[in-house]
C-alpha cells in the first residue's frame, strides 16, 4: 500500500467530474464520498469537483465544487476543459453514466475529455450488455481516451473485455465505497424510528418503477401470517426524473396496493432524501434488507453495497451485481417479480436467527475492504500509476478520429424566452410588433407545427426552467389536434384570437408542413402520451397527401415521413405513401429539368431548399439514384444562385425569381436560410462531403450579420429573430415564423456539433460503421435509413 505521505508529494491536484450533492442521485453521493475520502488521504485541499447541472439555476453546492456545467450546453464542456488545463490538474477522475451528460447518449462529455492534457481515470457506473449505437460509440471513445477504467463488479469487467473490446490492462476493479460503520444489533436504533419490538424489512434508494417494491408488498400478507410483528420500511424520495415525468404515481400505486392487501399498517414510507449519517442509522434498524429490482441489467448497486457494509441479512433478485455480492452465503437470491419466493425467504430468515446472524457477519467482514478509506487508497494507487506512465510516455494532445469542427463560430445558447412570450394557453401567436405579441392576427397551424418541432428537439441542448418544454409541447400538439378536421381528414390553418377557425381546411402547404412537424415530434418526443398523439394525428393526416400535386406540400410531407420512419422503419403503409409522393416530386423535376434550369417549376419561390432535401432523403432511403442525383444537383444549383460576395443571399419574396427574368434580392426571409441549412446537413450525411457543412454554416451566419446589410437578425436579449431583411434595413418585428426558423436552425447546428463529437449520426440504429468515409477517417452514418444494405427493409 502506498503511504499517504507519498500521495501528498506526488499528487498536487485531482479533479472529479460528475454529479454532486445536494443534487439528488446516487452518483452525486458517490462523487462527494470519493472526493472527501481521497482528500483526506492526500492531506491537502486540492481535490475539487466539476459538476453537471440539470437545472438552469444549479444547486447550492459546498466549496469543493469549483466549476459548474450546464449539461446540455456544449460550450460549457469546452470551458471546463480550459479551466482544468489552466489549473494544471494532475488527474481527472470522471464518474460516468450516460444519462448525466448532454448530447446523444451523453456524448458532450467527449468534447471535454478530448481537450484535456492530463491523464483521465474513468469510473464506469453503467456497463451495458445490450447497447445502442450511440452508447457504443461513446463507450468506444471513453475506452480510447481513458488511461484507466474503474469498474465495481467482475461482470462489468467481463463486458468491457468480451463485448466492448477494452484492453484488459486498462481495467481496474475497485468495489463501491461504503461508510465505516460498527457491527451493531438492529434493535439498537429501533426506538428512535418507532419500530421498537418489530422485525424490520428495509429497502432504500430513489423511488422508481423498476425497483420492484410492489413485489415485496405483495409478499407481506404471507409473511405477516407467520410473523405478525413485521414492519416494512421504504426509505427514499421519488427519483427527480420520475417526478418530472410521472409525479408520485408510483408511490401512490404502492400505497393503494398496501391498503388493498390489508397491510398498510405494516408499511412505512419515508419520503426523504437523507444524508449519510441518517442513512446509516436507518440501515442500523434493519433485520433484513431487500433489493427486489425487476431487471438484471445492473452492474453496480450502491444501496446493496451499503447494506452489506452495515452487516445486513440481504435478500435480492439476481441482477448482475447482486449475484456477485451475495455469493458464498452473504445473501439469498430470489427470481425476478416473484412475491411467493420473496415471502418464503423472508419467513425462513426470521425463523432461523442463527442463519440470519451468520449471514450478517459474512456480509460485514466481506465489505471491510470497501470502506471509503481503503477505496480512496486504491484510487490513489491508480492515479499515481497513470501519472507515472504519462510522464514516461507524454501525450500533449489527444487525437480522436473525428471530423474537423464544422462550425467556425461559437454557437449561441438556445434561448426560449421569446418563444415562451409568444405562446399562450391556445398556441403560439403568428405575429409580433417588435418583440410584443400581436394578438390581432391570431394563430396558424404553420407556426404551431414549427413550434412543436422546436419543443420536441431542443431538450438535449438546453435547460429551460422546469416543466417549460413539456408544457409548450403539449400546447402546440393540442392546437394541432384541435385543428384537424376529422370529417375531411385535413388541417385547418388560421384561427382568430377568440378561437374561431377561418376555414374548413387550410392549404396543401399547411397540411404538408403539419405532416412534417408531426413526423419530427413522433421521432423526437420521449413522453408516451405526446408520442402516441403525434403518431395518431400523423397517420390520420397522411392519407390526404397522396392526392396532393403542389411541389412544396409533397416535399414537406416527405421530410415528415422520413422523420417518422426513423422511429418506425417497418411501417409498410407509410413507406408505400412515401413511394407515391416521392415519385410525384421526381416527375415534376423530370418534366421541368433543363441544363440551365435544373428545377421542378419555372419559378423559384419560397422554401426552395426543402424540395432538394426531400429528393435527397427519398433517393438515399429508397435506393433511387435518379432522385438522389437530382436532389444533390438542384441543391448545388441553389447554392450557386444564392451564394455571392462570400455570404448567403436568399431569393427575395418581392417578386421571386422567374426563369429568364431578373431575380428579386429582397425581402429576404429567415425561412430560406433554415431550409438551406437543413438541406445542406442532409447532403452532408448522405455524401460525407464536408463542403456541405461549410455551406450550412454560411447560411447560418446570415442570421448573425453575414448578409447583404451586415446586420444581425438574431436578438440575443430575447432569444427571438427579426422578421427579415428589407432593402432599407431589418424588419424589427420578431414574429413566430422568423423566431422558429432561427431556433430550428440553431438546434440543427447544435445537433450536428454533438453528432460530430459522437462520431456517428444518432438516428441510424442498425448501420455498420464502415459505410462512408470522410475527412479524418471518421465514419458518418446516414440518419434516415435503418439498413445500408437494403434501404427498404426494417
Amino acid at each position: 500500500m502506498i503511504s499517504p505521505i507519498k500521495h501528498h508529494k506526488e499528487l498536487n491536484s485531482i479533479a472529479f467530474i460528475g454529479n454532486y450533492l445536494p443534487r439528488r442521485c446516487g452518483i452525486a453521493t458517490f462523487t462527494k464520498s470519493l472526493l472527501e475520502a481521497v482528500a483526506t488521504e492526500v492531506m491537502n485541499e486540492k481535490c475539487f469537483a466539476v459538476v453537471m447541472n440539470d437545472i438552469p439555476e444549479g444547486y447550492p453546492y459546498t466549496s469543493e465544487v469549483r466549476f459548474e456545467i450546464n449539461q446540455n450546453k456544449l460550450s460549457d464542456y469546452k470551458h471546463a476543459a480550459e479551466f482544468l488545463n489552466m489549473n494544471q490538474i494532475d488527474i481527472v477522475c470522471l464518474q460516468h453514466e450516460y444519462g448525466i451528460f448532454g448530447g446523444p447518449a451523453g456524448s458532450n462529455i467527449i468534447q471535454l475529455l478530448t481537450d484535456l492534457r492530463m491523464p483521465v481515470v474513468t469510473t464506469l457506473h453503467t456497463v451495458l450488455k445490450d447497447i445502442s449505437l450511440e452508447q457504443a460509440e461513446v463507450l468506444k471513445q471513453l475506452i480510447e481516451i481513458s488511461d484507466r477504467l474503474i469498474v465495481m463488479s467482475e461482470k462489468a469487467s467481463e463486458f468491457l473485455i468480451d463485448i466492448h473490446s477494452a484492453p484488459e490492462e486498462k481495467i481496474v476493479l475497485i468495489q463501491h465505497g461504503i461508510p465505516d460503520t460498527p457491527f451493531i444489533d438492529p434493535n439498537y436504533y429501533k426506538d428512535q424510528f418507532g419500530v421498537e419490538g418489530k422485525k424490520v424489512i428495509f429497502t432504500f434508494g430513489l423511488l422508481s418503477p423498476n425497483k420492484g417494491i410492489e413485489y415485496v408488498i405483495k409478499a407481506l400478507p404471507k409473511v405477516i401470517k407467520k410473523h405478525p410483528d413485521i414492519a416494512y420500511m421504504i426509505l427514499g424520495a421519488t427519483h427527480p426524473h420520475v417526478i418530472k415525468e410521472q409525479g408520485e404515481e408510483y408511490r401512490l400505486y404502492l400505497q393503494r396496493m398496501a391498503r388493498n392487501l390489508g397491510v398498510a399498517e405494516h408499511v412505512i414510507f419515508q419520503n426523504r432524501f437523507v444524508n449519510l449519517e441518517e442513512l446509516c442509522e436507518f440501515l442500523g434498524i434493519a433485520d433484513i434488507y431487500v433489493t427486489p429490482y425487476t431487471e438484471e441489467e445492473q452492474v453496480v448497486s450502491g444501496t446493496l453495497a451499503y447494506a452489506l457494509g452495515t452487516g445486513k441479512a440481504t435478500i435480492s433478485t439476481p441482477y448482475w451485481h447482486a449475484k456477485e455480492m451475495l455469493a458464498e452465503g452473504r445473501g439469498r437470491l430470489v427470481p425476478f417479480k416473484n412475491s411467493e419466493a420473496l415471502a418464503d425467504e423472508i419467513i425462513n430468515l426470521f425463523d432461523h436467527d442463527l442463519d440470519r446472524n451468520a449471514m450478517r457477519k459474512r456480509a460485514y467482514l466481506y465489505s471491510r475492504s470497501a470502506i471509503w478509506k481503503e477505496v480512496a487508497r486504491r484510487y490513489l494507487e491508480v492515479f499515481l500509476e497513470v501519472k507515472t506512465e504519462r510522464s514516461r510516455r507524454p501525450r500533449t494532445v489527444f487525437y480522436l478520429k473525428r471530423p474537423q469542427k464544422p462550425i467556425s463560430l461559437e454557437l449561441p445558447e438556445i434561448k426560449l424566452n421569446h418563444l415562451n412570450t409568444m405562446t399562450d394557453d391556445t398556441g403560439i401567436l403568428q405575429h409580433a410588433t417588435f418583440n410584443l405579441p400581436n394578438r390581432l392576427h391570431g394563430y396558424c397551424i404553420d407556426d404551431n407545427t414549427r413550434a412543436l418541432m422546436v419543443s420536441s428537439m431542443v431538450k438535449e441542448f438546453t435547460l429551460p426552467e422546469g416543466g417549460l418544454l413539456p408544457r409548450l409541447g403539449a400546447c402546440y400538439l393540442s392546437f394541432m389536434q384541435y385543428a384537424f378536421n376529422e370529417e375531411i381528414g385535413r388541417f385547418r390553418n388560421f384561427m382568430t384570437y377568440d378561437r374561431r377557425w377561418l376555414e374548413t381546411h387550410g392549404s396543401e402547404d399547411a397540411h404538408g408542413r403539419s405532416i412534417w412537424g408531426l413526423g419530427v415530434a413522433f421521432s423526437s418526443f420521449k413522453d408516451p402520451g405526446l408520442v402516441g398523439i403525434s403518431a395518431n394525428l400523423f397517420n390520420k393526416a397522411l392519407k390526404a397527401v397522396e392526392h396532393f400535386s403542389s411541389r412544396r406540400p409533397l416535399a414537406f410531407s416527405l421530410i415528415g415521413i422520413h422523420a417518422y420512419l426513423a422511429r418506425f422503419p417497418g411501417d409498410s403503409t407509410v413507406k408505400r405513401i412515401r413511394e407515391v409522393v416521392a415519385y410525384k416530386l421526381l416527375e415534376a423535376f423530370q418534366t421541368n429539368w433543363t441544363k440551365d434550369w435544373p428545377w421542378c417549376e419555372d419559378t423559384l419561390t419560397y422554401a426552395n431548399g426543402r424540395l432538394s432535401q426531400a429528393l435527397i432523403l427519398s433517393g438515399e432511403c429508397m435506393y433511387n439514384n435518379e432522385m438522389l442525383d437530382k436532389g444533390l444537383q438542384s441543391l448545388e444549383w441553389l447554392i450557386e444562385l444564392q451564394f455571392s460576395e462570400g455570404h448567403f443571399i436568399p431569393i427575395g419574396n418581392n417578386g421571386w425569381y422567374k426563369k429568364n427574368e431578373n431575380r428579386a434580392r429582397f425581402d429576404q426571409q429567415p425561412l430560406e436560410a433554415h431550409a438551406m441549412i437543413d438541406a445542406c446537413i442532409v447532403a452532408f450525411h448522405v455524401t460525407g462531403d464536408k463542403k456541405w457543412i461549410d455551406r450550412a454554416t454560411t447560411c447560418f451566419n446570415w442570421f448573425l450579420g453575414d448578409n447583404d446589410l451586415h446586420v444581425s437578425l438574431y436578438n440575443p436579449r430575447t432569444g427571438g429573430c427579426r422578421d427579415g431583411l428589407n432593402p432599407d434595413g431589418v424588419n424589427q418585428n420578431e414574429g413566430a415564423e422568423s423566431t422558429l426558423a432561427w431556433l430550428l436552425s440553431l438546434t440543427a447546428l447544435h445537433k450536428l456539433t454533438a453528432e460530430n463529437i459522437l462520431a456517428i449520426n444518432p438516428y441510424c440504429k442498425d448501420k455498420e460503421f464502415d459505410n462512408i468515409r470522410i475527412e479524418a477517417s471518421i465514419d458518418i452514418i446516414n440518419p434516415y435509413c435503418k439498413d445500408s444494405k437494403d434501404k427498404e427493409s426494417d
Side-chain angles (χ1 to χ4, degrees):
M1 184 68 66
I2 299 174
S3 70
I5 297 298
K6 189 170 183 181
H7 294 325
H8 178 61
K9 289 181 179 179
E10 297 190 22
L11 290 169
N12 295 316
S13 53
I14 305 165
F16 295 84
I17 302 176
N19 293 349
Y20 208 80
L21 294 177
R23 181 172 174 179
R24 294 183 174 187
C25 81
I27 291 180
T29 302
F30 183 96
T31 307
K32 182 175 176 63
S33 297
L34 178 60
L35 186 153
E36 290 177 343
V38 169
T40 300
E41 288 299 305
V42 297
M43 299 185 295
N44 67 39
E45 298 179 356
K46 292 186 179 179
C47 292
F48 64 85
V50 174
V51 301
M52 315 307 301
N53 286 332
D54 62 344
I55 55 175
E57 64 272 22
Y59 297 88
Y61 296 113
T62 47
S63 60
E64 58 267 26
V65 172
R66 293 277 306 279
F67 199 96
E68 299 177 41
I69 296 174
N70 175 328
Q71 69 179 39
N72 291 331
K73 189 175 179 182
L74 190 60
S75 60
D76 279 8
Y77 292 82
K78 300 176 187 177
H79 298 324
E82 184 180 7
F83 174 84
L84 293 168
N85 288 332
M86 184 178 66
N87 282 277
Q88 299 182 327
I89 304 302
D90 287 325
I91 299 288
V92 163
C93 184
L94 172 70
Q95 306 306 307
H96 183 265
E97 163 67 57
Y98 293 104
I100 71 173
F101 307 108
S107 59
N108 284 359
I109 191 62
I110 303 300
Q111 172 71 64
L112 190 160
L113 298 179
T114 54
D115 288 342
L116 294 178
R117 301 193 188 107
M118 68 290 296
V120 175
V121 175
T122 297
T123 304
L124 295 171
H125 290 259
T126 295
V127 181
L128 300 172
K129 180 180 179 181
D130 299 316
I131 196 167
S132 72
L133 189 64
E134 305 98 301
Q135 291 169 335
E137 180 62 19
V138 169
L139 182 57
K140 175 184 174 184
Q141 296 192 25
L142 281 174
I143 291 169
E144 190 172 355
I145 294 167
S146 302
D147 296 80
R148 290 291 188 279
L149 300 163
I150 294 178
V151 295
M152 291 174 267
S153 67
E154 293 285 357
K155 182 64 73 173
S157 177
E158 175 189 321
F159 287 167
L160 282 176
I161 295 167
D162 296 344
I163 299 174
H164 305 298
S165 304
E168 189 171 354
E169 63 273 13
K170 276 194 173 188
I171 301 169
V172 181
L173 174 59
I174 303 177
Q175 291 187 67
H176 191 294
I178 58 173
D180 189 3
T181 58
F183 187 75
I184 62 171
D185 187 326
N187 294 308
Y188 187 80
Y189 285 114
K190 285 184 178 179
D191 60 328
Q192 297 182 29
F193 295 93
V195 290
E196 190 172 13
K198 301 282 189 182
K199 295 183 177 76
V200 177
I201 307 167
F202 187 63
T203 298
F204 86 93
L206 292 171
L207 214 59
S208 61
N210 65 342
K211 295 298 175 69
I213 292 170
E214 61 268 31
Y215 297 100
V216 184
I217 294 176
K218 289 177 184 178
L220 289 181
K222 184 175 181 179
V223 175
I224 290 167
K225 284 182 182 179
K226 186 71 184 291
H227 296 278
D229 53 346
I230 287 293
Y232 179 34
M233 184 174 289
I234 303 161
L235 171 65
T238 301
H239 196 290
H241 293 164
V242 175
I243 285 283
K244 287 180 182 178
E245 300 294 330
Q246 303 172 18
E248 290 286 6
E249 181 180 335
Y250 182 57
R251 186 184 300 277
L252 295 172
Y253 160 71
L254 296 175
Q255 291 171 346
R256 287 195 303 270
M257 176 183 289
R259 288 194 300 271
N260 293 338
L261 292 173
V263 299
E265 63 182 16
H266 296 271
V267 181
I268 303 167
F269 287 90
Q270 294 279 354
N271 187 1
R272 301 168 56 198
F273 186 85
V274 297
N275 61 38
L276 191 57
E277 182 179 352
E278 287 181 290
L279 174 59
C280 292
E281 291 179 357
F282 272 105
L283 277 166
I285 71 173
D287 294 288
I288 295 177
Y289 183 76
V290 182
T291 55
Y293 301 162
T294 59
E295 300 168 350
E296 70 171 350
E297 292 85 4
Q298 188 158 342
V299 293
V300 61
S301 168
T303 62
L304 183 62
Y306 285 170
L308 268 66
T310 51
K312 298 295 107 179
T314 301
I315 300 171
S316 177
T317 50
Y319 55 90
W320 293 325
H321 197 213
K323 289 168 74 172
E324 291 182 27
M325 294 287 283
L326 302 184
E328 300 177 356
R330 294 186 292 269
R332 294 186 182 176
L333 299 174
V334 297
F336 293 107
K337 302 179 180 180
N338 192 323
S339 298
E340 191 73 17
L342 268 170
D344 291 342
E345 289 295 350
I346 292 170
I347 291 169
N348 184 273
L349 283 179
F350 279 131
D351 284 349
H352 300 89
D353 291 346
L354 289 178
D355 290 348
R356 189 174 73 253
N357 288 324
M359 182 189 295
R360 291 183 60 221
K361 188 173 182 180
R362 285 190 291 269
Y364 185 78
L365 293 176
Y366 171 78
S367 301
R368 291 310 85 204
S369 62
I371 62 172
W372 277 115
K373 180 177 181 178
E374 297 301 327
V375 167
R377 290 180 175 180
R378 287 287 291 118
Y379 268 83
L380 285 165
E381 288 177 357
V382 174
F383 294 164
L384 283 170
E385 286 176 8
V386 298
K387 184 180 179 186
T388 302
E389 289 174 7
R390 183 63 68 89
S391 67
R392 293 171 181 167
R393 295 190 296 274
R395 182 176 57 181
T396 55
V397 176
F398 184 86
Y399 177 70
L400 184 68
K401 290 182 178 180
R402 66 185 188 192
Q404 297 175 9
K405 295 174 184 176
I407 313 291
S408 59
L409 67 156
E410 186 80 13
L411 283 174
E413 181 181 355
I414 297 174
K415 295 179 67 173
L416 303 179
N417 306 47
H418 192 55
L419 177 67
N420 193 29
T421 298
M422 293 289 292
T423 303
D424 60 17
D425 61 352
T426 300
I428 188 167
L429 291 152
Q430 287 190 76
H431 296 295
T433 305
F434 293 95
N435 60 356
L436 187 70
N438 185 336
R439 304 180 192 278
L440 181 64
H441 301 283
Y443 316 86
C444 68
I445 199 166
D446 292 326
D447 291 332
N448 278 274
T449 295
R450 297 180 183 107
L452 179 69
M453 287 192 275
V454 171
S455 67
S456 70
M457 293 169 64
V458 300
K459 185 176 182 181
E460 291 183 345
F461 311 108
T462 186
L463 284 178
E465 294 179 6
L468 177 62
L469 283 176
R471 178 179 66 79
L472 292 177
C475 177
Y476 305 136
L477 189 56
S478 176
F479 184 95
M480 295 188 70
Q481 187 177 40
Y482 186 49
F484 188 66
N485 188 331
E486 296 274 0
E487 294 181 1
I488 60 174
R490 290 286 298 274
F491 285 101
R492 304 174 181 93
N493 192 3
F494 296 106
M495 174 192 276
T496 63
Y497 183 65
D498 58 358
R499 298 184 178 179
R500 288 181 295 106
W501 290 111
L502 297 181
E503 73 263 290
T504 57
H505 66 83
S507 64
E508 289 186 2
D509 257 27
H511 194 94
R513 193 174 286 110
S514 300
I515 293 290
W516 170 20
L518 289 167
V520 170
F522 172 73
S523 68
S524 302
F525 274 133
K526 301 295 187 293
D527 179 270
L530 299 180
V531 170
I533 294 170
S534 299
N536 184 45
L537 269 179
F538 177 91
N539 283 290
K540 285 181 179 179
L542 190 61
K543 299 172 185 177
V545 174
E546 290 185 85
H547 307 292
F548 288 177
S549 56
S550 299
R551 279 73 164 169
R552 281 161 187 78
L554 296 174
F556 297 155
S557 299
L558 280 170
I559 296 169
I561 286 170
H562 286 287
Y564 175 92
L565 289 173
R567 187 164 189 163
F568 271 7
D571 193 320
S572 299
T573 299
V574 175
K575 289 164 73 174
R576 182 188 61 78
I577 294 175
R578 175 182 67 182
E579 184 171 357
V580 171
V581 175
Y583 277 106
K584 278 189 178 183
L585 185 60
L586 176 62
E587 184 181 1
F589 273 88
Q590 291 170 332
T591 301
N592 292 277
W593 188 281
T594 65
K595 181 178 179 181
D596 296 329
W597 191 267
W599 198 239
C600 59
E601 54 194 2
D602 288 338
T603 305
L604 282 171
T605 57
Y606 60 96
N608 300 304
R610 297 294 171 201
L611 287 88
S612 300
Q613 178 186 355
L615 270 190
I616 295 168
L617 286 172
S618 301
E620 172 72 356
C621 292
M622 294 169 62
Y623 215 14
N624 185 305
N625 287 333
E626 184 182 4
M627 284 185 191
L628 180 58
D629 290 344
K630 279 187 162 45
L632 290 170
Q633 290 174 35
S634 62
L635 186 57
E636 285 274 13
W637 181 64
L638 291 176
I639 292 291
E640 291 175 10
L641 287 176
Q642 298 180 103
F643 276 41
S644 180
E645 303 167 23
H647 62 263
F648 175 58
I649 307 173
I651 302 295
N653 69 1
N654 188 16
W656 306 120
Y657 182 20
K658 296 179 181 179
K659 187 176 181 180
N660 299 322
E661 296 184 13
N662 294 327
R663 58 172 285 184
R665 189 135 181 166
F666 293 98
D667 296 340
Q668 298 178 17
Q669 300 295 305
L671 278 182
E672 303 308 316
H674 175 216
M676 291 297 290
I677 289 168
D678 281 356
C680 288
I681 290 173
V682 167
F684 168 66
H685 284 311
V686 169
T687 67
D689 192 334
K690 188 181 175 292
K691 71 181 182 182
W692 294 110
I693 298 302
D694 296 333
R695 292 165 172 181
T697 304
T698 299
C699 294
F700 180 77
N701 286 338
W702 177 87
F703 285 103
L704 301 176
D706 196 2
N707 51 50
D708 277 346
L709 303 184
H710 305 292
V711 60
S712 177
L713 285 86
Y714 168 55
N715 184 345
R717 185 176 60 82
T718 66
C721 178
R722 281 96 180 187
D723 278 352
L725 293 182
N726 305 328
D728 55 352
V730 66
N731 184 333
Q732 294 291 339
N733 298 329
E734 296 177 22
E737 180 183 286
S738 54
T739 293
L740 292 165
W742 158 255
L743 288 172
L744 288 166
S745 299
L746 180 58
T747 301
L749 289 199
H750 273 286
K751 187 171 184 292
L752 181 69
T753 304
E755 289 164 6
N756 282 342
I757 290 167
L758 186 60
I760 62 171
N761 190 295
Y763 297 103
C764 180
K765 306 297 182 187
D766 301 321
K767 278 198 171 185
E768 297 297 331
F769 283 103
D770 295 326
N771 290 322
I772 301 173
R773 291 282 177 185
I774 67 163
E775 281 191 54
S777 300
I778 182 162
D779 302 327
I780 294 294
I781 297 176
N782 176 15
Y784 305 100
C785 299
K786 295 288 183 174
D787 191 314
S788 61
K789 297 176 182 177
D790 180 3
K791 294 186 172 64
E792 286 293 291
S793 66
D794 184 356

